[in-house]
Amino acid sequence: MKVKTLDERAVYDIGHAFGYYDYGDERGMNMIFSSQEAISIYIQGYVRWAFRGGFLHATSERGEGYIAYKQAGQKSGIRAAMPLLKAVFQSMTLKEVINFIRVMSRAEKSPADKLDKEKKPYIFVGMVCVREQYQGQGYMRKVMDMAFEEGNRLQVPVILDTDAKTKCDKYMHLGMELAGIRDFGEYGKLYDLIKYPDKKN
């Protein structure tokens, strides 16, 4: 279901789930941000942007799990993006922002970049989260099924990238394929995943 009313407690919970995720031996988002709290602040801004842009979906009104996805080329507007921009500068210094943009601009093209160049449609998943009190109860599959069902309806691939192999393995378990790995040096790696639509009978 599309989120119609934003629960600030849920926003905090999503940010906390990302910020305090146990990466084990991996660094993930910790390579970009200076602290776990900085990650949390950034993700909270992302959630508010996704909500304003109409991209945020939840498993139910209780909000066990959330996913932000949009079709290729779908825009949100400057006003909707303001919470995200604010969060970027609350969670990173100007120097960190500039360095991050520089590294990203030199990176290998993502599957989304390649599909954009070919003018092919797709669904891009920008955020997936099961709130910590609901983890381990099967909600990750329910969250991803929302995007997969939309991909099947439109007959377009669903793509996302993630910052850790442990997360990548979970998405692959749910039916996604590993499309490639982008190495950002000191900023870690991104694992690109794709789920092609099921063929209609």
Side-chain angles (χ1 to χ4, degrees), residues 19-194:
Y20 294 86
Y21 178 81
D22 183 5
Y23 282 97
D25 293 332
E26 299 181 274
R27 292 293 304 278
M29 294 183 77
N30 294 312
M31 296 297 292
I32 302 170
F33 296 92
S34 59
S35 69
Q36 292 173 305
E37 187 58 26
I39 296 172
S40 179
I41 290 169
Y42 170 77
I43 293 296
Q44 289 178 51
Y46 191 99
V47 173
R48 293 189 178 95
W49 164 73
F51 170 71
R52 288 191 179 188
F55 310 141
L56 189 64
H57 302 261
T59 48
S60 76
E61 291 185 359
R62 191 167 61 168
E64 303 93 347
Y66 289 83
I67 184 170
Y69 66 81
K70 64 187 185 72
Q71 295 182 44
Q74 190 176 354
K75 305 296 183 183
S76 65
I78 296 297
R79 186 171 179 274
M82 288 307 294
L84 178 57
L85 292 173
K86 181 179 179 182
V88 167
F89 288 102
Q90 286 179 326
S91 58
M92 303 172 76
T93 65
L94 180 59
K95 182 179 179 180
E96 288 171 338
V97 172
I98 292 172
N99 285 340
F100 179 64
I101 292 173
R102 176 178 54 80
V103 171
M104 292 297 290
S105 67
R106 295 177 180 175
E108 180 184 347
K109 297 298 182 184
S110 69
D113 293 328
K114 294 172 184 176
L115 289 172
D116 284 338
K117 186 175 181 179
E118 296 169 1
K119 299 188 181 336
K120 291 182 178 179
Y122 61 89
I123 290 172
F124 178 74
V125 176
M127 185 209 74
V128 179
C129 181
V130 175
R131 292 162 75 182
E132 288 164 296
Q133 61 266 45
Y134 298 110
Q135 291 177 9
Q137 300 174 40
Y139 286 107
M140 177 66 89
R141 184 173 294 278
K142 293 179 181 180
V143 167
M144 292 306 301
D145 278 348
M146 285 188 276
F148 294 163
E149 288 169 6
E150 185 69 358
N152 287 335
R153 185 182 73 83
L154 298 172
Q155 285 294 286
V156 300
V158 174
I159 62 176
L160 64 78
D161 55 49
T162 190
D163 61 343
K165 188 178 185 302
T166 52
K167 295 181 183 180
C168 175
D169 290 344
K170 291 177 183 178
Y171 290 122
M172 292 179 70
H173 178 71
L174 295 174
M176 301 198 81
E177 301 174 19
L178 181 61
I181 302 173
R182 286 177 284 153
D183 193 333
F184 294 88
E186 64 179 307
Y187 285 92
K189 297 178 181 179
L190 280 180
Y191 298 80
D192 293 308
L193 295 117
I194 189 164

